[in-house]
Structure formats: structure tokens, C-alpha cells
């Protein structure tokens, strides 16, 4: 699947989100401190951040957000100057998995790896919830039921009943011998994923909230081991009746339930939450008056910000598109040591870069905020596109290939370094979405 280029423009107009705070994750590598900068920041790292950092942990900041905050950094004064602010530090993706962890994962079977994420704790919860619905199911039957669903993702039939056909040319013997059709249909119709005690009328996603929390704990068991992260939307294909159903024309699955995802560049999912509407107040984060994109980003990376010191956070770099990007968000993250890069809409930055109509493709202009060191770069590609970054700037100029109408062939142009990195690393969530779609079970339900 091709990576998203920085010239793409988001068309979403929703205005609020929700996510759940999860403080149970283990961050790798394990820091020796609690998350405050204290004695953990070296002189080189302070120089890279380019402005003073308050001696306060992010955990305190997170719990002191107010409902009425419209911006994360309302008191910041922008002072734009021409030219880039040269940023230092490694921006390449690094994997912080120990040799012991790598060896353990390599020695595991596919079933064992699957059960690291779809754990026994999740299965026991489903069994207990289904019992409230009058369904008695053993752990072995649940494993068989899940196995049939997984098999249906690649052994695809025109309808569910064909897996139990008596015709030997159609019948699927592994499925038919593992579970009867009637028992499979009974489990499928009565299985539940929530308990009565979980009901929360303020949370539209309460029926899957507990399972989502358990799953989030499982996917974070190795910590945030990749230093390049990206935030974007995901869609779960769904045609049933629910107020959560969305329509996104820019996604392969246009109808379904929208999720917010935080992924590594290789597509590994680190955090996820369900979009429940602009006025949803069921989540732990406040900032109800703040921009939706800022709320989503802050909530998804909260376990990372709370778990690492500024010295460790300086290794990380997060990307997002222009739906999420705003200057105060990048400054807020940089204030606690986390570097970020994102395409930005023109109306979100007071500084303007004007180009002539005859300016050639690859022309760029750059300014920086002297009070934060944030770079604002605009370039002419197929159209004018702009990027904000607290991690990189223009240099080094990176060669990219674009089609030239004059030469009628692809020619090499020099683009600012920030755009090249964005195009390289932004596609993590899209890659995850693509792989989920490829592995989606063909047996489905409108429940």
C-alpha cells in the first residue's frame, strides 16, 4: 500500500473525541525516574529543545487540564522570523526491544503470539458476559469459535452455511468437524462483550469499553518500543444500526465505526479508541473546548508522556496530518520533550507564505518561531502544502522524484527534509488499516 504523501488534504469536519487513560502500560526502555525532567536532561538535549522546560512532570499537567481550555498553550507568544531553526537529534526510527524479548517472540508459535493479544483475560471476560445472556460456553468452545472466524478470513465462502455443506466439493472439513453449525449459530447470536455492571449512559461505546481497555493493555505490554509514531483515523467496516456509524469518503471502507489510532511506522498499534461524538464526556481527559485534533493526540500519547522522562522522550518523534496539527499542540508536546511534525492548514497559522503563480515545483519558504524553535515550511508540489515541525527543518535538502509535464518524465527535485520524513513515516496507521482489512473474517454479524 503506498505511503501517504504530504500533499494530501484532510476533509474531516468532526469536532470532538474520546479516549481512555491507561496508566498500566510498561514503557521500554524503563526510565529510572518518574517522568519529570529533573537531572535526566543533558546539556545537549536542552540545547536541542532550544528553550527552558519547567521542572514539572506531565502527569501533573494532564490532571490539571480544565474543561474550558481552548488552547493547550494559551499564553505562548509567537515571534516569527525568516529562515529555519536548525534542529539536532536523531529522527530515524529506532526499535527499543531487548534481545531477550526478541528471542522470546521469535520462539513462539503463531497461536501463542495471537494469544498474547487476545489473552485469557479477554476470553474469561467474554465467557462471563455471555453467561449473563444465557449462553454457557467453555474456553475450548470459545477458542474453536474464534478459530473458525480467523479461518474465514482466508478460506472465503459465498455464505456462512457452506462451511457445513454435505457436498464434499464445498464442505470445509476442519470447521465441520470442530463445531456443529447449530452450535456455532447459537454462540454467534448470544455471545456478549459487556456486563450489566458496565453500563454507562454517558459512554456510547460502553458495550466494548472493558474489552478495549484489556486489549489496550495487551498491545502496550512491550512498551512504546518504536521511536517513530503516527496518529490518524481508522475505520471498522460496519453496516448495522448504531449511532457510532460514520461516513468517511477518503477511506477504503467508507461506512463504519471510526477509531483513533496511534501506530509505529511499521503498522504496529500502540493505542486505540472509539470516536463517540463531539460532546462525549465519558473519557478521562477534559479540554472540552479545545480542538478535537489536540484532544485526540494528547489522549493517545498520554501513557507515553506519563511513562518517560524528557531525556527518553527526546528519542521519539510523532507525526499527524492537518486534521490534528495546530501550533499550540506542537509547542505543548515539545514543552515536555516530545518532537512532532504535521501538515497544517493555512488558517491555523498567522504567519503566511505567499508564492507567485509562476514559481516552479519544489519552491519553498521557511519561517521559525524564535520563542519555541518551531519551523513553519511551505512548498509548491502539485499544490501549496505547509508543515509545522519541532524536530526538523529544511536542511538537508532531500531529492524526490515528480512527474514533469514539460519533460514528460519523472525528474528529480530538491524538497525540504521535513516533507521527506513525513512521507516516509506518516503511513503507519494506514498500513495497520490495510493489514486489518486483509485479515478481516468473511463471517460477519450486524450486532
Amino acid at each position: 500500500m503506498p505511503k501517504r504523501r504530504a500533499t494530501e488534504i484532510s476533509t474531516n469536519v468532526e469536532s470532538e473525541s474520546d479516549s481512555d487513560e491507561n496508566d498500566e502500560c510498561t514503557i521500554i526502555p524503563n526510565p529510572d525516574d518518574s517522568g519529570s525532567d529533573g537531572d535526566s536532561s543533558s546539556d545537549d538535549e536542552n540545547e536541542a529543545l532550544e528553550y527552558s522546560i519547567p521542572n514539572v512532570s506531565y502527569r501533573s499537567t494532564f490532571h490539571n487540564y480544565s474543561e474550558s481550555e481552548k488552547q493547550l498553550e494559551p499564553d505562548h507568544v509567537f515571534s516569527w522570523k525568516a529562515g529555519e531553526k536548525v534542529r539536532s537529534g536523531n529522527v530515524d526510527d529506532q526499535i527499543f526491544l531487548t534481545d531477550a524479548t526478541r528471542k522470546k517472540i521469535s520462539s513462539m508459535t503463531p497461536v501463542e503470539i495471537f494469544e498474547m493479544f487476545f489473552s485469557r483475560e479477554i476470553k474469561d471476560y467474554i465467557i462471563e458476559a455471555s453467561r449473563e445472556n444465557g449462553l454457557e460456553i467453555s474456553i475450548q468452545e470459545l477458542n474453536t469459535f474464534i478459530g473458525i472466524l480467523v479461518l474465514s478470513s482466508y478460506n472465503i465462502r459465498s455464505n456462512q452455511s457452506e462451511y457445513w455443506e454435505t457436498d464434499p466439493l464445498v464442505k470445509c472439513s476442519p470447521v465441520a468437524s470442530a463445531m456443529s453449525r447449530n452450535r456455532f449459530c447459537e454462540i454467534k447470536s448470544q455471545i456478549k462483550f459487556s456486563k450489566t455492571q458496565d453500563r454507562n449512559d454517558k459512554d456510547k461505546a460502553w458495550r466494548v469499553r472493558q474489552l478495549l481497555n484489556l486489549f489496550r493493555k495487551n498491545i502496550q505490554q512491550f512498551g512504546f518500543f518504536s521511536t517513530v509514531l503516527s496518529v490518524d483515523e481508522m475505520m471498522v467496516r460496519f453496516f448495522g444500526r448504531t449511532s457510532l456509524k460514520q461516513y468517511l469518503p477518503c477511506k477504503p471502507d467508507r461506512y463504519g465505526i471510526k477509531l483513533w489510532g496511534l501506530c509505529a511506522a511499521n503498522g504496529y498499534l500502540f493505542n486505540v479508541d472509539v470516536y463517540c461524538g463531539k460532546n462525549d464526556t465519558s473519557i478521562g481527559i477534559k479540554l472540552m473546548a479545545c480542538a478535537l485534533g489536540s484532544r485526540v493526540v494528547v489522549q493517545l500519547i498520554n501513557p507515553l508522556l506519563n511513562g518517560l522522562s524528557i531525556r527518553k522522550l527526546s528519542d521519539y518523534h510523532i507525526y499527524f496530518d492537518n486534521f490534528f496539527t495546530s501550533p499550540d499542540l506542537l509547542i505543548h508536546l515539545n514543552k515536555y520533550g516530545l518532537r512532532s511534525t504535521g501538515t497544517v492548514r493555512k488558517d491555523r497559522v498567522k504567519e503566511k507564505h505567499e508564492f507567485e503563480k509562476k514559481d516552479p515545483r519544489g519552491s519553498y519558504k521557511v519561517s521559525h518561531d524564535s520563542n519555541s524553535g518551531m519551523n513553519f515550511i511551505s512548498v509548491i508540489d502539485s499544490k501549496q502544502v505547509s508543515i509545522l515541525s519541532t524536530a526538523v527543518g529544511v536542511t538537508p535538502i532531500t531529492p524526490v522524484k515528480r512527474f514533469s509535464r514539460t519533460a514528460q518524465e519523472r525528474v528529480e527535485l530538491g524538497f525540504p527534509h521535513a516533507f521527506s520524513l513525513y512521507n516516509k513515516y506518516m503511513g503507519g496507521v494506514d498500513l495497520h488499516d490495510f493489514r486489518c482489512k486483509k485479515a478481516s473474517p468473511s463471517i460477519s454479524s450486524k450486532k
Side-chain angles (χ1 to χ4, degrees), residues 90-96 224-231 262-268 270 304 315-319 338-339 421-422 424-428:
N90 185 14
V91 291
D92 294 329
D93 193 13
Q94 303 176 64
I95 304 298
F96 289 148
F224 290 79
F225 55 81
S226 177
T227 60
V228 171
L229 307 171
S230 60
V231 173
L262 174 68
C263 288
N266 61 10
Y268 184 90
F270 285 113
L304 177 67
D315 292 328
Y316 288 81
H317 189 179
I318 185 170
Y319 295 84
L338 182 61
R339 299 172 296 169
L421 288 176
Y422 181 90
K424 181 178 180 180
Y425 290 127
M426 179 56 198

Side-chain angles (χ1 to χ4, degrees), residues 99-119:
D99 292 338
T101 302
R102 293 173 187 265
K103 185 177 180 180
K104 176 184 176 182
I105 295 174
S106 299
S107 64
M108 298 175 72
T109 65
V111 173
E112 289 173 333
I113 293 176
F114 177 81
E115 291 186 338
M116 290 180 69
F117 303 100
F118 205 99
S119 61

Side-chain angles (χ1 to χ4, degrees), residues 261-298:
L262 174 68
C263 288
N266 61 10
Y268 184 90
L269 182 68
F270 285 113
N271 207 349
V272 64
D273 199 23
V274 182
Y275 173 66
C276 294
K278 63 181 181 179
N279 296 320
D280 184 71
T281 59
S282 62
I283 56 177
I285 191 173
K286 297 179 182 178
L287 301 174
M288 292 301 295
C290 199
L292 168 63
S294 298
R295 294 185 66 212
V296 171
V297 172
V298 168

Side-chain angles (χ1 to χ4, degrees), residues 65-82:
Y65 287 138
S66 70
E67 298 282 352
S68 59
E69 284 188 72
K70 295 183 178 180
Q71 289 189 332
L72 294 170
E73 296 294 328
D75 299 326
H76 182 81
V77 177
F78 289 93
S79 177
W80 293 104
K81 294 184 178 181

Side-chain angles (χ1 to χ4, degrees), residues 38-183:
D39 58 352
S40 62
S41 298
S42 67
D43 293 338
D44 291 338
E45 285 154 349
N46 282 330
E47 182 179 353
L49 292 174
E50 295 295 344
Y51 68 105
S52 60
I53 301 172
N55 188 16
V56 60
S57 70
Y58 181 77
R59 186 178 298 273
S60 300
T61 301
F62 181 83
H63 290 295
N64 286 326
Y65 287 138
S66 70
E67 298 282 352
S68 59
E69 284 188 72
K70 295 183 178 180
Q71 289 189 332
L72 294 170
E73 296 294 328
D75 299 326
H76 182 81
V77 177
F78 289 93
S79 177
W80 293 104
K81 294 184 178 181
E84 71 170 318
K85 181 66 176 180
V86 178
R87 312 293 297 191
S88 60
N90 185 14
V91 291
D92 294 329
D93 193 13
Q94 303 176 64
I95 304 298
F96 289 148
L97 282 177
T98 64
D99 292 338
T101 302
R102 293 173 187 265
K103 185 177 180 180
K104 176 184 176 182
I105 295 174
S106 299
S107 64
M108 298 175 72
T109 65
V111 173
E112 289 173 333
I113 293 176
F114 177 81
E115 291 186 338
M116 290 180 69
F117 303 100
F118 205 99
S119 61
R120 180 61 185 263
E121 191 175 7
I122 290 179
K123 295 175 185 177
D124 288 340
Y125 182 89
I126 294 175
I127 290 173
E128 293 171 7
S130 299
R131 188 175 293 123
E132 291 187 5
N133 200 34
L135 176 65
E136 289 292 338
I137 180 174
S138 66
I139 188 69
Q140 183 58 44
E141 281 186 311
L142 181 58
N143 285 335
T144 302
F145 179 80
I146 295 170
I148 293 174
L149 295 180
V150 172
L151 182 142
S152 73
S153 66
Y154 60 88
N155 189 331
I156 301 173
R157 305 300 175 91
S158 59
N159 61 72
Q160 175 182 306
S161 298
E162 285 190 357
Y163 290 99
W164 288 272
E165 281 283 355
T166 56
D167 188 338
L169 296 177
V170 181
K171 178 181 179 180
C172 182
S173 297
V175 172
S177 61
M179 179 178 287
S180 69
R181 184 182 64 180
N182 290 342
R183 181 56 176 169

Side-chain angles (χ1 to χ4, degrees), residues 109 237 255 266 361:
T109 65
R237 186 180 183 185
Y255 291 93
N266 61 10
R361 197 171 192 175

